[in-house]
Amino acid sequence: MTRADDVHDPPELMRDSLDHCVKCTICETQCPVAAVTPLFAGPKYVGPQAERYRTGDRSVDHTLDYCSSCGICTHVCPQGVKIAEINSQARAAMKKERGMPLRDRIISRPTLMGRISAPIYPIVNWTLGFRPARKMMQAVLGIHERAPMPVSAPRTLRRRLKKRGQSPPGSRGTVIYFHGCSAEYYEVENSLKVIDVLEHNGYRVLTPRQGCCGLPLQTNGLFDDSRRYVRRLVSQLQAPGPGIPIISSSTSCGLMLKREAHEILGVDDPSLADIGSRTYDVCEFLLDLHDRGELRTDFQPVPERVPYHPPCQLRGHGVGTPALELMRLIPGLEVEESGAVCCGVAGTYGLKKEKYDVAMAVGAPLFEKVRGMEPPVAVCDSEICRWQISTATEVPAVHPVALLHRAYGLS
Amino acid sequence: MRSLETDVVVIGGGATGAGVLRDASMRGLRTILVERVDLGQGTTGRFHGLLHSGGRYVISDPHSATECAQETDLLSRIAADAVEMTGGLFVTTPHDDPEYADTFVAGCHATGVPVEEIPVAQALREEPRLNRGISRAFRVNDGSVDAWRLIWGNVRSAEAYGGRALTYHWVTRVLRDGDRVSGVVCHDGISGEDVRIEAGFVINATGAWAGQIATMAGCHGVEVVPGRGIMIAMNHRLVGQVINRCDPPGDGDILVPVRTVCVIGTTDTRADSPDDLAIPRDEVQQMLDAGEVLVPGFRQARAVHAWAGARPLVRDSRVSESDTRHMSRGMSIMDHRERDGVSGLLTIAGGKATTYRLMAKNIVDAMCAQMGVDRPCRTADEPLAGSESGVGIAITDRLRDREADRLDDQIICECELMSRTMLTSLLRDRPSVAFDDIRRQLRLGMGPCQGGFCAYRTAGIAHDGEHGDIARANGLMRMFLTNRWIGLHSILFGDQVRQAALDDWIARGTLDVEHLPEADALPSRPAEVEA
């Protein structure tokens, strides 16, 4: 395999961190997957322990694929072992050696799926809601019949933006909105709300044409394709000009730019470092505004009691739970943190036939909490987690910005 | 006192002794090996694990180079179970004499050591951590060997031919019948009783200890100089192949991937006694610096254990007494009939693990000649016990094995992926083992945590079975932890300090292992022997 010069050997960077492991087992006690199934040997086992036995070209421990890549292990490790990253790399090596199921190739390309579905969205939505069709998908593709599937929006974000017109010049400056592919095809309404809220706070919002960040390809072990995707996205986000803050409303896609493209894929590119350093999660950005006294707080009361689930990827950002603090600014709104570790879906993990039950068991405490509160909506930053929560609990799930939007009187 | 009678007694349970046991047994001689502690506890278990391509000796010792090349090729087939043919590279680093490379290649051709120059870019692709400043790279047929598997493979093979190995049998006397050596008296460290073994012939294969045994037989002046060398095992394989400096032999010129670790070695200093081998801090630093030349960043990598071994170097009057690196590494057989007028005794020393089989063959040939027995050596013709399939060691072996059985079997040593069944079967076969003996056979406690977790699990299982009462299990556990510490205190830097701190909190803080009730009757060893 030939590699571009700006790709370092990812195993070198992350593998070296295995030297820090003191076998304390804290990661194993926090792993949501190992807690519900013995099929996954646990993050310490497949991470720093098994890595000593790997050569990079001979995979023998195929159950490492039961890791959901939620990243909690890396986050909780007190010694700095990049456990989840080691696992991702080992999985990539395994898939390279053993070949990639068609299913994984399909579900790891959401832009492609979205583009195909967009013109025929009613048919796609009907099919995905049609049990016999889902049974067939499970049989043929291995996508579980009850796994959450996104609903295609009638019009793509791009078409809606065209109709909406350009963002007016802002009193506070300009930001770039990195919406991610789900926002383009599925979560269109939510993306428009993010733009509204930013504009409401005095920002001109640029929405350059943008593709997939490559994260689903990365978690499915297709590293070469993933690197291509993220590089293209980086140049798309650079196009509007230097130094403009980039606002992301997808927790995991933002994390890809901030850390994972470098740490897992090994992309050593100054333009990636530049983009990563000015990428903010939308709630992180808004809370920063608030801390500087620049956030508008003309909130109307929202007299509701809602559960909030911080997604696993949010931990990777290392910013705490800014959504929680923002929502607490809304009068009347009572927000209760879920207290659950993970919803189980972890990107594309919970869609897979053989992992669905594991994912549902991982998410069970969260679903119980949500159902128990009988709320009008559940709140979560990450779109796939929202689909998982609403599919499992039949409670609609929204992005925290949707509540701000409402409190601002914008909806 | 128990009495035994046999044709041949071999003293010394290293690779040479085990090789002699197998060779003599295969020739139909009733043979007993006696070892003062456990098999492979001396020099054979304390080297870097290199199975030599011969490349290291093509200039300094061409004869050894040829022997190494032939024996490595042979062992990769007949001792597959103990060998991993990793391949090796000789690389010219910026610190090496660039002229040496051509001399080296010519030497390889002259000695029959297979060598092939490969492009530097290819070497760096194969070994991405290698110093990017190397100017030339040569592929050789190096491998690594699990010394304990090699010894046990020989012993199990010998057993099939009627041979026996008695561990923890410490020779206290060499019996003489006039001018003839007629056997030995051993102290059985496990049962506490003495054992008298009458034998037609005694082979002294005690390496660096050979002078002591020869003296017991009344043969004085056998000088085997212990050449002390230290080695450091790093936490994981920084390289997949053996990496050699393409330079005349020197300290720290080799990095060997063996099992889960890679080992940098070695130094060479004359020691006063093979039982008292220091691991000086300055030599540790010297090894880390040498590693840095081969693999930049080596100093920051995690060292998990250090040890020292005593090369058995036969004194050569041509070189100065302190210059052990230039003493002969070839094997020496001493005929005490000729030298001292004492028949029935041969001493072998020198050589290296790679040529153990050849050494065994040569000395058994010499013995047969003196005994008037005409039976050819057959050790090259059939595989060792356990190597019948011809499949060598792969780094992935244990991960594959645990992938298959981890849902049904508990993992006791997590670092080295040793299962409960592996442990309980060994305890069943060898009920009197010390935990270090388990380590040598199953790699218990050889990983990053150095027994910090597995020692207690093993103690629990040892006590749980019929292996011993609480006091005995405690004693074995403490002895094990103490012995691990010998290889740790000189490398306490970086990541291993954190591990040592955690291990210490558990051992002394949480479990108070220093004040546990402990039995007296543990596998005993001569007072001066460290594990």
Side-chain angles (χ1 to χ4, degrees), chain B residues 43 48 207-208 224-231 251 266-269 309-314 324-325 329:
Chain B
T43 306
H48 41 45
V224 183
V225 179
R228 179 179 60 80
I230 72 155
M231 263 102 358
D251 290 347
T266 172
T267 52
D268 200 343
T269 318
R311 292 176 192 79
L313 300 174
V314 179
T324 50
R325 187 169 295 286
R329 282 163 147 66

PDB file of all heavy atoms in Angstrom, chain B residues 43 48 207-208 224-231 251 266-269 309-314 324-325 329:
ATOM      1  N   THR B  43      22.092 -19.681  32.176  1.00  0.00           N
ATOM      2  CA  THR B  43      22.414 -18.840  31.027  1.00  0.00           C
ATOM      3  C   THR B  43      21.412 -18.980  29.874  1.00  0.00           C
ATOM      4  O   THR B  43      21.038 -18.005  29.238  1.00  0.00           O
ATOM      5  CB  THR B  43      23.843 -19.160  30.548  1.00  0.00           C
ATOM      6  OG1 THR B  43      24.717 -19.021  31.667  1.00  0.00           O
ATOM      7  CG2 THR B  43      24.274 -18.226  29.439  1.00  0.00           C
ATOM      8  N   HIS B  48      19.198 -13.038  24.958  1.00  0.00           N
ATOM      9  CA  HIS B  48      18.204 -12.186  24.289  1.00  0.00           C
ATOM     10  C   HIS B  48      17.232 -12.963  23.419  1.00  0.00           C
ATOM     11  O   HIS B  48      16.318 -12.396  22.843  1.00  0.00           O
ATOM     12  CB  HIS B  48      18.886 -11.082  23.486  1.00  0.00           C
ATOM     13  CG  HIS B  48      20.100 -11.538  22.738  1.00  0.00           C
ATOM     14  ND1 HIS B  48      20.127 -12.698  22.027  1.00  0.00           N
ATOM     15  CD2 HIS B  48      21.346 -10.989  22.640  1.00  0.00           C
ATOM     16  CE1 HIS B  48      21.336 -12.851  21.506  1.00  0.00           C
ATOM     17  NE2 HIS B  48      22.101 -11.836  21.861  1.00  0.00           N
ATOM     18  N   GLY B 207      28.090 -25.040  32.022  1.00  0.00           N
ATOM     19  CA  GLY B 207      28.386 -23.718  31.474  1.00  0.00           C
ATOM     20  C   GLY B 207      29.294 -22.907  32.365  1.00  0.00           C
ATOM     21  O   GLY B 207      30.409 -23.317  32.695  1.00  0.00           O
ATOM     22  N   ALA B 208      28.789 -21.775  32.797  1.00  0.00           N
ATOM     23  CA  ALA B 208      29.606 -20.875  33.599  1.00  0.00           C
ATOM     24  C   ALA B 208      29.955 -21.469  34.961  1.00  0.00           C
ATOM     25  O   ALA B 208      30.823 -20.954  35.664  1.00  0.00           O
ATOM     26  CB  ALA B 208      28.882 -19.542  33.774  1.00  0.00           C
ATOM     27  N   VAL B 224      36.275 -21.183  33.375  1.00  0.00           N
ATOM     28  CA  VAL B 224      35.221 -20.677  32.513  1.00  0.00           C
ATOM     29  C   VAL B 224      34.868 -19.306  33.066  1.00  0.00           C
ATOM     30  O   VAL B 224      34.394 -19.187  34.183  1.00  0.00           O
ATOM     31  CB  VAL B 224      33.992 -21.599  32.510  1.00  0.00           C
ATOM     32  CG1 VAL B 224      32.946 -21.077  31.540  1.00  0.00           C
ATOM     33  CG2 VAL B 224      34.402 -23.006  32.127  1.00  0.00           C
ATOM     34  N   VAL B 225      35.169 -18.289  32.278  1.00  0.00           N
ATOM     35  CA  VAL B 225      34.961 -16.930  32.770  1.00  0.00           C
ATOM     36  C   VAL B 225      33.515 -16.524  32.526  1.00  0.00           C
ATOM     37  O   VAL B 225      33.029 -16.621  31.398  1.00  0.00           O
ATOM     38  CB  VAL B 225      35.904 -15.944  32.035  1.00  0.00           C
ATOM     39  CG1 VAL B 225      35.664 -14.516  32.521  1.00  0.00           C
ATOM     40  CG2 VAL B 225      37.350 -16.372  32.228  1.00  0.00           C
ATOM     41  N   PRO B 226      32.791 -16.131  33.580  1.00  0.00           N
ATOM     42  CA  PRO B 226      31.421 -15.650  33.336  1.00  0.00           C
ATOM     43  C   PRO B 226      31.465 -14.264  32.683  1.00  0.00           C
ATOM     44  O   PRO B 226      31.961 -13.322  33.272  1.00  0.00           O
ATOM     45  CB  PRO B 226      30.797 -15.555  34.731  1.00  0.00           C
ATOM     46  CG  PRO B 226      31.799 -16.137  35.685  1.00  0.00           C
ATOM     47  CD  PRO B 226      33.138 -16.069  35.017  1.00  0.00           C
ATOM     48  N   GLY B 227      31.022 -14.184  31.451  1.00  0.00           N
ATOM     49  CA  GLY B 227      30.935 -12.886  30.766  1.00  0.00           C
ATOM     50  C   GLY B 227      29.532 -12.346  30.975  1.00  0.00           C
ATOM     51  O   GLY B 227      28.574 -12.792  30.362  1.00  0.00           O
ATOM     52  N   ARG B 228      29.442 -11.375  31.880  1.00  0.00           N
ATOM     53  CA  ARG B 228      28.117 -10.878  32.236  1.00  0.00           C
ATOM     54  C   ARG B 228      27.573  -9.955  31.153  1.00  0.00           C
ATOM     55  O   ARG B 228      28.255  -9.038  30.694  1.00  0.00           O
ATOM     56  CB  ARG B 228      28.202 -10.101  33.558  1.00  0.00           C
ATOM     57  CG  ARG B 228      26.882  -9.503  34.025  1.00  0.00           C
ATOM     58  CD  ARG B 228      27.037  -8.780  35.353  1.00  0.00           C
ATOM     59  NE  ARG B 228      27.998  -7.695  35.281  1.00  0.00           N
ATOM     60  CZ  ARG B 228      27.717  -6.497  34.774  1.00  0.00           C
ATOM     61  NH1 ARG B 228      26.512  -6.246  34.295  1.00  0.00           N
ATOM     62  NH2 ARG B 228      28.630  -5.561  34.727  1.00  0.00           N
ATOM     63  N   GLY B 229      26.329 -10.215  30.726  1.00  0.00           N
ATOM     64  CA  GLY B 229      25.681  -9.333  29.757  1.00  0.00           C
ATOM     65  C   GLY B 229      24.295  -9.001  30.248  1.00  0.00           C
ATOM     66  O   GLY B 229      23.595  -9.866  30.779  1.00  0.00           O
ATOM     67  N   ILE B 230      23.901  -7.732  30.121  1.00  0.00           N
ATOM     68  CA  ILE B 230      22.536  -7.411  30.532  1.00  0.00           C
ATOM     69  C   ILE B 230      21.639  -7.283  29.305  1.00  0.00           C
ATOM     70  O   ILE B 230      22.097  -6.964  28.206  1.00  0.00           O
ATOM     71  CB  ILE B 230      22.438  -6.128  31.393  1.00  0.00           C
ATOM     72  CG1 ILE B 230      22.667  -4.860  30.562  1.00  0.00           C
ATOM     73  CG2 ILE B 230      23.364  -6.193  32.584  1.00  0.00           C
ATOM     74  CD1 ILE B 230      21.998  -3.653  31.182  1.00  0.00           C
ATOM     75  N   MET B 231      20.379  -7.540  29.520  1.00  0.00           N
ATOM     76  CA  MET B 231      19.374  -7.447  28.478  1.00  0.00           C
ATOM     77  C   MET B 231      18.161  -6.711  29.045  1.00  0.00           C
ATOM     78  O   MET B 231      17.893  -6.809  30.241  1.00  0.00           O
ATOM     79  CB  MET B 231      18.913  -8.852  28.055  1.00  0.00           C
ATOM     80  CG  MET B 231      19.578  -9.386  26.842  1.00  0.00           C
ATOM     81  SD  MET B 231      20.906 -10.613  26.971  1.00  0.00           S
ATOM     82  CE  MET B 231      21.285 -10.981  28.585  1.00  0.00           C
ATOM     83  N   ASP B 251      28.551  -3.590  22.094  1.00  0.00           N
ATOM     84  CA  ASP B 251      27.474  -3.612  23.080  1.00  0.00           C
ATOM     85  C   ASP B 251      26.178  -3.051  22.483  1.00  0.00           C
ATOM     86  O   ASP B 251      26.206  -2.047  21.767  1.00  0.00           O
ATOM     87  CB  ASP B 251      27.858  -2.770  24.295  1.00  0.00           C
ATOM     88  CG  ASP B 251      28.961  -3.441  25.102  1.00  0.00           C
ATOM     89  OD1 ASP B 251      29.228  -4.634  24.861  1.00  0.00           O
ATOM     90  OD2 ASP B 251      29.546  -2.762  25.973  1.00  0.00           O
ATOM     91  N   THR B 266      23.599  -6.530  23.972  1.00  0.00           N
ATOM     92  CA  THR B 266      23.861  -6.775  25.372  1.00  0.00           C
ATOM     93  C   THR B 266      25.209  -6.184  25.717  1.00  0.00           C
ATOM     94  O   THR B 266      25.883  -5.664  24.831  1.00  0.00           O
ATOM     95  CB  THR B 266      23.811  -8.285  25.703  1.00  0.00           C
ATOM     96  OG1 THR B 266      24.251  -8.533  27.010  1.00  0.00           O
ATOM     97  CG2 THR B 266      24.594  -9.121  24.723  1.00  0.00           C
ATOM     98  N   THR B 267      25.571  -6.283  26.966  1.00  0.00           N
ATOM     99  CA  THR B 267      26.885  -5.815  27.388  1.00  0.00           C
ATOM    100  C   THR B 267      27.782  -7.025  27.587  1.00  0.00           C
ATOM    101  O   THR B 267      27.346  -8.169  27.436  1.00  0.00           O
ATOM    102  CB  THR B 267      26.778  -5.047  28.714  1.00  0.00           C
ATOM    103  OG1 THR B 267      26.083  -5.863  29.657  1.00  0.00           O
ATOM    104  CG2 THR B 267      26.006  -3.760  28.518  1.00  0.00           C
ATOM    105  N   ASP B 268      29.004  -6.808  27.932  1.00  0.00           N
ATOM    106  CA  ASP B 268      29.909  -7.929  28.140  1.00  0.00           C
ATOM    107  C   ASP B 268      31.013  -7.514  29.106  1.00  0.00           C
ATOM    108  O   ASP B 268      31.902  -6.750  28.756  1.00  0.00           O
ATOM    109  CB  ASP B 268      30.502  -8.366  26.794  1.00  0.00           C
ATOM    110  CG  ASP B 268      31.045  -9.784  26.874  1.00  0.00           C
ATOM    111  OD1 ASP B 268      31.257 -10.278  27.990  1.00  0.00           O
ATOM    112  OD2 ASP B 268      31.228 -10.394  25.806  1.00  0.00           O
ATOM    113  N   THR B 269      30.881  -7.993  30.332  1.00  0.00           N
ATOM    114  CA  THR B 269      31.862  -7.637  31.360  1.00  0.00           C
ATOM    115  C   THR B 269      32.189  -8.880  32.159  1.00  0.00           C
ATOM    116  O   THR B 269      31.295  -9.684  32.451  1.00  0.00           O
ATOM    117  CB  THR B 269      31.252  -6.605  32.357  1.00  0.00           C
ATOM    118  OG1 THR B 269      30.507  -5.653  31.626  1.00  0.00           O
ATOM    119  CG2 THR B 269      32.322  -5.923  33.160  1.00  0.00           C
ATOM    120  N   GLY B 309      22.833 -12.267  32.259  1.00  0.00           N
ATOM    121  CA  GLY B 309      23.204 -13.664  32.075  1.00  0.00           C
ATOM    122  C   GLY B 309      24.711 -13.784  32.081  1.00  0.00           C
ATOM    123  O   GLY B 309      25.428 -12.797  31.886  1.00  0.00           O
ATOM    124  N   ALA B 310      25.184 -15.014  32.325  1.00  0.00           N
ATOM    125  CA  ALA B 310      26.635 -15.240  32.367  1.00  0.00           C
ATOM    126  C   ALA B 310      27.034 -16.128  31.204  1.00  0.00           C
ATOM    127  O   ALA B 310      26.729 -17.319  31.192  1.00  0.00           O
ATOM    128  CB  ALA B 310      27.022 -15.889  33.689  1.00  0.00           C
ATOM    129  N   ARG B 311      27.675 -15.535  30.205  1.00  0.00           N
ATOM    130  CA  ARG B 311      28.189 -16.351  29.096  1.00  0.00           C
ATOM    131  C   ARG B 311      29.283 -17.263  29.633  1.00  0.00           C
ATOM    132  O   ARG B 311      30.154 -16.800  30.364  1.00  0.00           O
ATOM    133  CB  ARG B 311      28.854 -15.483  28.043  1.00  0.00           C
ATOM    134  CG  ARG B 311      27.964 -14.586  27.279  1.00  0.00           C
ATOM    135  CD  ARG B 311      28.846 -13.752  26.357  1.00  0.00           C
ATOM    136  NE  ARG B 311      28.087 -12.663  25.779  1.00  0.00           N
ATOM    137  CZ  ARG B 311      27.810 -11.543  26.413  1.00  0.00           C
ATOM    138  NH1 ARG B 311      28.238 -11.364  27.654  1.00  0.00           N
ATOM    139  NH2 ARG B 311      27.112 -10.601  25.827  1.00  0.00           N
ATOM    140  N   PRO B 312      29.269 -18.491  29.226  1.00  0.00           N
ATOM    141  CA  PRO B 312      30.362 -19.374  29.651  1.00  0.00           C
ATOM    142  C   PRO B 312      31.520 -19.235  28.666  1.00  0.00           C
ATOM    143  O   PRO B 312      31.533 -19.867  27.625  1.00  0.00           O
ATOM    144  CB  PRO B 312      29.731 -20.763  29.573  1.00  0.00           C
ATOM    145  CG  PRO B 312      28.638 -20.644  28.540  1.00  0.00           C
ATOM    146  CD  PRO B 312      28.251 -19.199  28.436  1.00  0.00           C
ATOM    147  N   LEU B 313      32.469 -18.388  28.975  1.00  0.00           N
ATOM    148  CA  LEU B 313      33.568 -18.154  28.048  1.00  0.00           C
ATOM    149  C   LEU B 313      34.801 -18.896  28.552  1.00  0.00           C
ATOM    150  O   LEU B 313      35.250 -18.688  29.674  1.00  0.00           O
ATOM    151  CB  LEU B 313      33.852 -16.661  27.925  1.00  0.00           C
ATOM    152  CG  LEU B 313      32.652 -15.848  27.406  1.00  0.00           C
ATOM    153  CD1 LEU B 313      32.968 -14.366  27.442  1.00  0.00           C
ATOM    154  CD2 LEU B 313      32.271 -16.285  26.000  1.00  0.00           C
ATOM    155  N   VAL B 314      35.292 -19.752  27.699  1.00  0.00           N
ATOM    156  CA  VAL B 314      36.425 -20.559  28.112  1.00  0.00           C
ATOM    157  C   VAL B 314      37.687 -19.711  28.000  1.00  0.00           C
ATOM    158  O   VAL B 314      37.928 -19.067  26.995  1.00  0.00           O
ATOM    159  CB  VAL B 314      36.517 -21.822  27.235  1.00  0.00           C
ATOM    160  CG1 VAL B 314      37.724 -22.653  27.658  1.00  0.00           C
ATOM    161  CG2 VAL B 314      35.236 -22.634  27.373  1.00  0.00           C
ATOM    162  N   THR B 324      36.341 -10.029  27.725  1.00  0.00           N
ATOM    163  CA  THR B 324      35.552 -11.237  27.483  1.00  0.00           C
ATOM    164  C   THR B 324      34.946 -11.293  26.087  1.00  0.00           C
ATOM    165  O   THR B 324      34.649 -12.356  25.586  1.00  0.00           O
ATOM    166  CB  THR B 324      34.426 -11.358  28.525  1.00  0.00           C
ATOM    167  OG1 THR B 324      33.735 -10.119  28.581  1.00  0.00           O
ATOM    168  CG2 THR B 324      34.977 -11.697  29.876  1.00  0.00           C
ATOM    169  N   ARG B 325      34.728 -10.102  25.461  1.00  0.00           N
ATOM    170  CA  ARG B 325      34.089 -10.141  24.149  1.00  0.00           C
ATOM    171  C   ARG B 325      34.944 -10.877  23.121  1.00  0.00           C
ATOM    172  O   ARG B 325      34.444 -11.423  22.158  1.00  0.00           O
ATOM    173  CB  ARG B 325      33.764  -8.727  23.647  1.00  0.00           C
ATOM    174  CG  ARG B 325      32.953  -8.764  22.358  1.00  0.00           C
ATOM    175  CD  ARG B 325      32.382  -7.430  21.941  1.00  0.00           C
ATOM    176  NE  ARG B 325      31.394  -6.897  22.846  1.00  0.00           N
ATOM    177  CZ  ARG B 325      30.158  -7.333  22.966  1.00  0.00           C
ATOM    178  NH1 ARG B 325      29.749  -8.375  22.264  1.00  0.00           N
ATOM    179  NH2 ARG B 325      29.328  -6.777  23.805  1.00  0.00           N
ATOM    180  N   ARG B 329      33.928 -17.779  21.432  1.00  0.00           N
ATOM    181  CA  ARG B 329      32.530 -18.108  21.611  1.00  0.00           C
ATOM    182  C   ARG B 329      32.255 -19.500  21.084  1.00  0.00           C
ATOM    183  O   ARG B 329      31.140 -19.976  21.124  1.00  0.00           O
ATOM    184  CB  ARG B 329      31.672 -17.093  20.891  1.00  0.00           C
ATOM    185  CG  ARG B 329      31.571 -15.825  21.690  1.00  0.00           C
ATOM    186  CD  ARG B 329      31.087 -14.705  20.835  1.00  0.00           C
ATOM    187  NE  ARG B 329      30.277 -13.781  21.600  1.00  0.00           N
ATOM    188  CZ  ARG B 329      30.757 -13.033  22.579  1.00  0.00           C
ATOM    189  NH1 ARG B 329      31.999 -13.165  22.979  1.00  0.00           N
ATOM    190  NH2 ARG B 329      29.972 -12.175  23.198  1.00  0.00           N
TER     191      ARG B 329
END
